[in-house]
Amino acid sequence: MLRSCELITFAKKQDERGVLVALEGESHEVPFSIERVYYISSVPSNCRRGFHAHKDLEQVLVCVCGSVSILVDDGYSQDTIVLSGCDKGLYIGPMVWREMFSFTEGAALVVLASKHYDAADYLSDYNEFKRLVVGAAAEEKEERE
Ligand code: T46
């Protein structure tokens, strides 16, 4: 898994009545204050979404119903995670390119986000994203030397 991503397992409260999962901000499960929640559903199986990175935003993605594949790319390497189960969350930090695909029928992806919606936080051009990643790494290296 990339350094800026993590697959998190949530505690399930399960009894004969079913399953309950509770998520709180600034906790082990969600390591930021939750400022926004949105969900994605009714995605055709041949449809791919995302194709961007965020400069600052942190998110936890939970596929509460069905499953979805998520490609994450930090500019140097890529991983693909099949996200399913209401007790699994994928943390994605800033500067990670993501694409979501292979939504199963009825899949519902819930996203907890650290900030309000801000179109200016999106990097939708892969080459620009890559340039910024490489530039930041060079700056860090210079600071260390
Ligand atoms: C991400 C992945 C996982 C809003 O008005 N408010 C919102 O909070 C969001 C998230 C979107 N929008 C609008 C912007 C577009 O006009 O909803 C429309 C669809 O959004 P978008 O094309 O960005 O959706 P995805 O599935 O490509 O990406 C979304 C998030 O935008 C993104 O932050 O990380 O899900």
Side-chain angles (χ1 to χ4, degrees):
M1 180 73 79
L2 308 185
R3 234 178 0 142
S4 31
C5 294
E6 191 187 349
L7 190 62
I8 305 163
T9 299
F10 308 134
K12 281 201 279 191
K13 313 282 180 191
Q14 185 159 14
D15 58 30
E16 62 285 355
R17 299 169 301 162
V19 175
L20 185 153
V21 175
L23 300 177
E24 295 187 359
E26 295 177 293
S27 64
H28 168 67
E29 287 87 3
V30 185
F32 50 79
S33 167
I34 301 166
E35 294 296 324
R36 176 168 53 110
V37 177
Y38 61 92
Y39 13 94
I40 297 171
S41 60
S42 308
V43 181
S45 59
N46 60 353
C47 201
R48 222 170 156 104
R49 304 184 62 117
F51 296 95
H52 53 251
H54 283 283
K55 295 176 199 161
D56 289 320
L57 190 70
E58 297 175 83
Q59 302 193 109
V60 171
L61 283 61
V62 187
C63 193
V64 290
C65 205
S67 77
V68 58
S69 295
I70 301 174
L71 175 147
V72 285
D73 176 339
D74 63 4
Y76 294 102
S77 55
Q78 296 188 340
D79 267 322
T80 296
I81 297 101
V82 179
L83 193 59
S84 73
C86 59
D87 63 333
K88 295 278 183 274
L90 177 64
Y91 169 83
I92 306 182
M95 296 306 282
V96 176
W97 187 265
R98 81 283 320 263
E99 295 172 22
M100 300 90 76
F101 58 100
S102 295
F103 283 80
T104 57
E105 201 182 337
L109 183 65
V110 173
V111 183
L112 313 176
S114 64
K115 294 194 171 154
H116 288 190
Y117 178 68
D118 176 9
D121 190 62
Y122 284 67
L123 293 167
S124 302
D125 175 336
Y126 187 83
N127 291 330
E128 188 198 355
F129 159 70
K130 181 85 190 180
R131 253 195 318 277
L132 289 171
V133 168
V134 171
E139 259 176 41
E140 258 178 46
K141 188 164 176 258
E142 241 172 58
E143 274 166 25
R144 277 199 309 271
E145 287 167 356

